[in-house]
Amino acid sequence: MCGIVGYMGRHQALPILIDGLKRLEYRGYDSAGIAIVDDGRIILEKTEGKISELEAHLAGMKCPGVAGIAHTRWATHGEPNKKNAHPHIDCTGTLAVAHNGIIENYQILKKRLQDKGHRFITDTDTEVIAHLVEDHYTGALEDAVRKAAKQLEGTYGIVVLSTKEPDKIVGVRNGSPLVVGVADDEYFLASDVSAILKHTRQVIYLDDREMAIIEPTGFKTMTIDAIAVDKAIHEVDWDLDMIEKGGFPHFMLKEIFEQPETIRNAMRGRLVHATGEAKLGGLQEVLPTLREFNRLVLLGCGTSWHAALIGEYIIEEYARVPVEVEYASEFRYRNPIIDRGTVTVAISQSGETIDTLEAMREAKRKGSRTLGVCNVVGSTIARESGDGVYIHAGPEIGVASTKAFTSQITVLSLFALLLGRMRGMSASQGQEIIQALQEIPGQVQRILDKNDQIYEIAQAYCHHSNFLYLGRGSNFPVALEGALKLKEISYVHAEGYPAAEMKHGPIALIDENMPVVVICPKDAAYKKILGNIAEVKARKGRLIVIANEDDTDASDAADHVIKIPKTLDMLYPVLAVVPLQLLAYHIAVLRGCNVDQPRNLAKSVTVE
Ligand code: F6R
């Protein structure tokens, strides 16, 4: 996620801003920039890549200004390059804006502003904010920002400065964090306290639709309706390391707990309840092809391949299109049958996995239209696929993929909905799916609230050296993913199987030392999986069951039950995987493993 730092005080702003940006580096970013008011003009400098590059670029530059804003960008709209890096300026170059979040109605606003003569130079959603504030400016920056904020839909943490009022920085938030730092005759605005902790531990947390105006002599807080609000000043007592991880001991746990928000982000602005449809901007150009194609090939590796397997169930069920899923590494080295009626979707969090990239290139060479489902904006797969959908999960730093997986499934569900509504799904079924999707973030939160219970189960089983994971239907790939999570971070042997396959071999492994994790919500396969549970129990296997809140049959047979809410059959994977992520995490920590950087693994596999 992007990072913001703003400074107004007695000291030179530049070194303070650069230091603040460096402290936000852990969040992940692709470009950075600063805007400082100096001698009646804005000094605006940006670079692609690391902050060290921005620093090198600024080396030797004289910039005594004491008011400035800075930003690390994680691209969501427009490629990660110098042009799209923040801050962004208005037509006059007298006003600069840095923004975290996504402005959903930026296209409408941009069109309106262009019609009024505003000139846009970037591909970002953020640039509309600069022009909107310019448009509303009549002498008081806070009024202009306030009026602009009221027109914005989506999420934002925004900081704005202007040469017309050089002693003022205005910040406003809605859904994206912004804090005010208070020190002696100097004030800060930041998306994250870690950026300013070196200078002050006194902070004010802005709430949604609140603004702060910082000046050399003090600060004011108000709502975007111009009602003054008295905010309490808090003393931060965390250390830097804790803050970077949001108070969590590891990035992996932080990312698991971010899922209600990241799943919401994957759906944000993409569901049309009135017509029961999904609106995916990145597929607009390819809609005519999607009306006609007759076969879908989904490619990925590791966790992304598991998401593809789940996508196969969801798309075939909802859109009635034949889907094939392949390991990208296998696909690229055989001679796959691809014709012009085939659409190939490359699924990759990083967008850089070499096998997925090469497999996608192979499909393209054979005449397939290719689409990308990626997290990293502007990554190679995202660019070369031509069209596609971003999952908007924010940077995933833990090597084991968690939040990207649930966002991939969410986006594949939206894709299934889009295709389904083109091919015979009724509006009411579309609306039912939308309704269920909208409940998912809250339901994931309810599962996360069971973290303590899952920790206790992990304590009971952390010394075991083999695990079996079973699921049926769309929960079979969840079993694979649960086993992968456990083995990659705890180095414990684990296997995932379709539950019915157990009796064709793995059943030989089951005895009183074998924990068996069974995913058995009340879906179409429920009755069948009860039979598999009985088979495990008869051989004294230790049963850990993921079941619905109102379940009794599976729960009665189990040694441990983790309850999950009810949803549509096809959407259970998003819920069912969450306890498995937590179980793997706790077992790994209890075994003393480095969960964020497991041995032998890399976050992005760019070699064969
Ligand atoms: C497992 C994991 C890997 C990745 C795989 C593909 O937790 O993270 O299995 O899923 O290396 O990576 P992407 O999605 O970046 O192509």
Side-chain angles (χ1 to χ4, degrees):
M1 258 98 57
C2 312
I4 288 178
V5 200
Y7 175 76
M8 166 68 66
R10 297 168 279 133
H11 301 289
Q12 206 187 336
L14 182 59
I16 294 171
L17 295 177
I18 294 290
D19 180 73
L21 289 185
K22 283 187 182 162
R23 293 180 190 280
L24 295 176
E25 281 196 293
Y26 74 91
R27 298 164 64 108
Y29 64 101
D30 46 55
S31 53
I34 53 125
I36 295 175
V37 179
D38 191 53
D39 206 14
R41 68 199 166 102
I42 286 182
I43 294 184
L44 179 70
E45 298 294 341
K46 321 193 239 188
T47 49
E48 191 181 333
K50 294 286 161 209
I51 291 160
S52 52
E53 282 162 48
L54 180 65
E55 247 186 317
H57 172 73
L58 295 170
M61 179 181 285
K62 292 220 171 358
C63 181
V66 294
I69 59 175
H71 191 262
T72 46
R73 175 173 189 250
W74 165 265
T76 59
H77 293 75
E79 281 187 23
N81 56 28
K82 181 174 167 181
K83 177 184 78 174
N84 290 332
H86 300 207
H88 294 293
I89 51 170
D90 66 344
C91 298
T92 65
T94 60
L95 182 146
V97 172
H99 160 229
N100 288 358
I102 296 176
I103 305 301
E104 285 165 18
N105 60 338
Y106 83 100
Q107 274 159 325
I108 300 167
L109 294 171
K110 184 171 178 176
K111 171 83 178 60
R112 248 184 248 159
L113 288 159
Q114 279 171 328
D115 289 346
K116 289 174 94 171
H118 289 266
R119 295 177 314 280
F120 284 74
I121 50 178
T122 76
D123 312 314
T124 65
D125 52 340
T126 302
E127 196 182 356
V128 294
I129 305 169
H131 294 280
L132 210 51
V133 176
E134 175 190 12
D135 210 54
H136 286 297
Y137 190 80
T138 54
L141 188 60
E142 60 267 44
D143 284 345
V145 173
R146 215 166 48 70
K147 288 177 187 159
K150 291 180 87 154
Q151 287 181 268
L152 301 176
E153 286 169 20
T155 53
Y156 52 81
I158 298 168
V159 288
V160 187
L161 58 70
S162 163
T163 56
K164 294 183 181 147
E165 294 172 75
D167 286 345
K168 193 182 273 180
I169 300 176
V170 179
V172 59
R173 78 155 264 178
N174 188 47
S176 189
L178 201 61
V179 297
V180 183
V182 181
D184 286 342
D185 296 331
E186 50 182 2
Y187 299 91
F188 303 81
L189 281 163
S191 52
D192 183 325
V193 277
S194 56
I196 56 175
L197 207 60
K198 187 174 161 191
H199 308 280
T200 182
R201 286 181 175 269
Q202 309 285 313
V203 300
I204 290 161
Y205 298 98
L206 292 183
D207 288 313
D208 283 350
R209 296 169 68 80
E210 285 183 349
M211 311 176 54
I213 300 109
I214 60 170
E215 293 171 312
T217 49
F219 69 92
K220 281 187 290 191
T221 46
M222 60 167 82
T223 69
I224 65 170
D225 297 313
I227 299 164
V229 275
D230 246 350
K231 302 287 295 181
I233 297 183
H234 296 266
E235 170 91 20
V236 179
D237 58 2
W238 288 359
D239 63 30
L240 255 179
D241 188 52
M242 280 168 79
I243 285 172
E244 286 179 351
K245 295 184 181 119
F248 291 96
H250 299 99
F251 282 112
M252 181 179 172
L253 190 61
K254 171 173 176 273
E255 287 159 6
I256 291 173
F257 272 81
E258 276 172 7
Q259 290 176 113
E261 190 54 27
T262 49
I263 293 169
R264 216 172 265 129
N265 283 343
M267 296 190 280
R268 198 180 292 285
R270 291 171 164 174
L271 296 173
V272 190
H273 196 271
T275 53
E277 286 173 299
K279 192 178 73 187
L280 297 169
L283 299 184
Q284 235 13 62
E285 304 276 299
V286 81
L287 288 182
T289 307
L290 295 181
R291 275 180 221 289
E292 285 166 10
F293 81 107
N294 50 35
R295 177 171 164 259
L296 206 55
V297 173
L298 306 183
L299 302 173
C301 300
T303 290
S304 295
W305 180 73
H306 295 158
L309 288 175
I310 294 166
E312 176 179 15
Y313 283 93
I314 303 175
I315 295 166
E316 290 199 342
E317 174 70 22
Y318 286 152
R320 312 302 300 152
V321 184
V323 181
E324 275 170 51
V325 178
E326 283 225 38
Y327 280 118
S329 53
E330 290 297 316
F331 179 91
R332 62 180 287 206
Y333 286 118
R334 59 187 192 82
N335 191 7
I337 299 169
I338 296 284
D339 57 29
R340 298 193 72 78
T342 304
V343 168
T344 304
V345 185
I347 303 172
S348 172
Q349 185 283 130
S350 61
E352 302 295 348
T353 301
I354 194 73
D355 282 325
T356 312
L357 175 63
E358 287 299 339
M360 183 186 81
R361 286 177 176 158
E362 180 63 17
K364 212 179 214 176
R365 274 192 286 270
K366 291 201 149 57
S368 173
R369 185 94 190 222
T370 56
L371 310 176
V373 172
C374 298
N375 190 29
V376 180
V377 173
S379 54
T380 312
I381 293 174
R383 280 187 279 113
E384 289 195 18
S385 55
D387 302 275
V389 190
Y390 285 117
I391 63 170
H392 292 318
E396 195 176 60
I397 293 169
V399 164
S401 188
T402 52
K403 63 176 181 172
F405 180 67
T406 45
S407 293
Q408 286 167 338
I409 305 171
T410 305
V411 161
L412 290 168
S413 308
L414 301 188
F415 187 44
L417 180 59
L418 176 108
L419 295 176
R421 289 290 286 124
M422 285 174 164
R423 292 166 179 253
M425 179 192 286
S426 67
S428 61
Q429 191 187 3
Q431 285 163 336
E432 185 196 19
I433 295 167
I434 289 176
Q435 172 75 30
L437 282 167
Q438 284 170 330
E439 286 170 15
I440 294 279
Q443 294 176 324
V444 168
Q445 187 57 54
R446 269 160 59 194
I447 299 169
L448 293 172
D449 293 342
K450 298 185 194 296
N451 187 32
D452 289 348
Q453 185 213 344
I454 298 168
Y455 176 72
E456 280 169 22
I457 300 174
Q459 274 183 316
Y461 292 94
C462 62
H463 301 299
H464 284 254
S465 34
N466 295 289
F467 281 71
L468 195 58
Y469 287 71
L470 303 176
R472 295 184 83 124
S474 60
N475 289 312
F476 150 55
V478 177
L480 295 178
E481 176 62 7
L484 177 64
K485 286 292 88 98
L486 185 66
K487 65 186 137 197
E488 69 182 328
I489 59 171
S490 69
Y491 322 137
V492 170
H493 173 239
E495 289 193 47
Y497 261 91
E501 273 293 304
M502 184 181 64
K503 56 185 160 303
H504 299 287
I507 198 163
L509 295 169
I510 296 175
D511 62 16
E512 65 282 5
N513 292 318
M514 177 65 98
V516 183
V517 181
V518 187
I519 305 142
C520 59
K522 282 192 182 160
D523 59 8
Y526 181 68
K527 288 228 164 68
K528 297 282 169 205
I529 209 162
L530 286 180
N532 305 127
I533 287 175
E535 287 157 9
V536 173
K537 201 170 168 67
R539 285 153 189 88
K540 299 193 170 50
R542 309 295 303 277
L543 276 159
I544 303 166
V545 157
I546 314 295
N548 280 129
E549 285 160 348
D550 63 353
D551 179 88
T552 49
D553 293 352
S555 308
D556 287 348
D559 295 280
H560 307 271
V561 189
I562 306 168
K563 298 261 168 129
I564 62 171
K566 267 204 149 49
T567 185
L568 298 178
D569 281 13
M570 286 299 126
L571 301 184
Y572 272 119
V574 192
L575 301 182
V577 76
V578 176
L580 306 190
Q581 295 169 340
L582 285 171
L583 185 66
Y585 168 81
H586 289 306
I587 290 177
V589 173
L590 287 162
R591 292 173 72 96
C593 300
N594 179 349
V595 289
D596 280 339
Q597 281 160 343
R599 69 185 182 204
N600 307 337
L601 292 175
K603 185 67 191 156
S604 180
V605 186
T606 52
V607 289
E608 274 194 61

